[in-house]
Amino acid sequence: MTDNNSPHVRRRTVLIGTGATAAALTVTAAAASQDSAAEVRTDRTEPVAAAAVCTLTKELTEGPYYLDGALVRADIREDKPGIKLDLVLTVVDDSTCAPLNEALVEVWHCDALGEYSGFVGNNGHSEPDNGKFLRGGVLTGSDGVARITTIYPGWYQGRAIHIHIKVHTDVTLTSDGSFTGGQTLHTGQLFINETITTAVAAVSPYSTNTVRRVPLSQDGIYGNGGAAAGLMTVTGSTSAGYTGSLTLGIDE
């Protein structure tokens, strides 16, 4: 369920361009070691290629399940069952390809049964709800990279599998492990190739979700938009877990 008229959706001119300017910057997925939950900043140096041409990532609806006060943490799984998914998200200025340092990349998504923390029951399941699971974010390092460990999302009525994302700058970290202030530069969604999702959907606990799954081709938000609309490069397997990567071209 989405709300295209949400007051939280920021206006943005989407510049896809033509010819060479339409090429998306590709980031190769890397099997990075899992960060400590207490370690929220990446200090590795992986500069974006100077010759790369960057594309402005499309803004997409925030949807109805956003909650303020997400924790700043690298591992958002808590005790949720599911296949491990490591996100490697690079934030760059779309006009220069320069990486954005200390931008807070925040994500949130449903669990394997399609339930969001803070809204459990909306997809027909009864489970504990602490309002925090599968929500959180990390600061990018000087390379513009944010690494977050989560689980492969499930699905709910009317939507393809997706992960919500916001990019904030100039935030202040708070003593309770969250953040405040700053400016939201991007609101969007991340998507995964349907072939991978089909394999995941056959594995427990995803296979116990009886709600009809909408494929990407029928999702009204994705719209066959490719990398510019948030389609990640994903590698791995149902047994070993997956790594999903994407470069987010942000208009500063």
Side-chain angles (χ1 to χ4, degrees):
M1 179 178 181
T2 57
D3 181 5
N4 290 314
N5 297 314
S6 169
H8 300 287
V9 179
R10 301 175 58 249
R11 291 189 301 111
R12 180 68 59 89
T13 302
V14 179
L15 305 175
I16 299 302
T18 58
T21 60
L25 179 66
T26 302
V27 176
T28 302
S33 59
Q34 181 178 329
D35 293 332
S36 163
E39 193 171 333
V40 297
R41 184 180 281 106
T42 302
D43 292 318
R44 299 191 190 101
T45 301
E46 297 172 9
V48 177
V53 178
C54 299
T55 298
L56 180 64
T57 304
K58 289 182 181 178
E59 291 245 326
L60 299 175
T61 178
E62 167 184 287
Y65 298 122
Y66 182 70
L67 291 176
D68 290 324
L71 297 174
V72 180
R73 55 183 180 172
D75 190 332
I76 65 174
R77 292 174 295 176
E78 297 191 4
D79 60 351
K80 282 296 169 182
I83 298 171
K84 183 182 177 185
L85 174 63
D86 289 314
L87 299 175
V88 183
L89 305 172
T90 304
V91 183
V92 301
D93 184 307
D94 75 293
S95 60
T96 66
C97 292
L100 271 62
N101 186 31
E102 295 194 338
L104 193 135
V105 177
E106 178 188 9
V107 300
W108 70 100
H109 62 83
C110 66
D111 66 10
L113 297 181
E115 301 290 351
Y116 282 86
S117 57
F119 301 89
V120 167
N122 281 14
N123 206 38
H125 303 91
S126 178
E127 53 185 85
D129 187 358
N130 63 1
K132 298 293 183 183
F133 65 77
L134 304 178
R135 297 179 183 271
V138 298
L139 293 171
T140 60
S142 59
D143 54 3
V145 177
R147 290 179 171 85
I148 300 172
T149 297
T150 185
I151 63 167
Y152 204 100
W155 63 92
Y156 54 96
Q157 185 69 39
R159 285 302 315 278
I161 283 181
H162 61 282
I163 297 172
H164 293 272
I165 185 168
K166 283 182 179 284
V167 178
H168 313 269
T169 55
D170 301 319
V171 301
T172 299
L173 302 186
T174 57
S175 59
D176 62 355
S178 184
F179 67 95
T180 188
Q183 177 183 10
T184 302
L185 293 184
H186 178 76
T187 299
Q189 298 181 26
L190 306 174
F191 298 94
I192 302 172
N193 183 281
E194 196 63 30
T195 300
I196 298 174
T197 290
T198 298
V200 169
V203 176
S204 181
Y206 304 91
S207 58
T208 65
N209 187 349
T210 59
V211 174
R212 177 184 176 272
R213 182 172 61 80
V214 174
L216 275 182
S217 60
Q218 297 176 17
D219 187 80
I221 303 299
Y222 173 65
N224 296 317
L231 185 66
M232 295 188 292
T233 297
V234 178
T235 60
S237 66
T238 56
S239 57
Y242 292 97
T243 296
S245 62
L246 185 70
T247 291
L248 299 165
I250 305 300
D251 182 3
E252 286 197 276

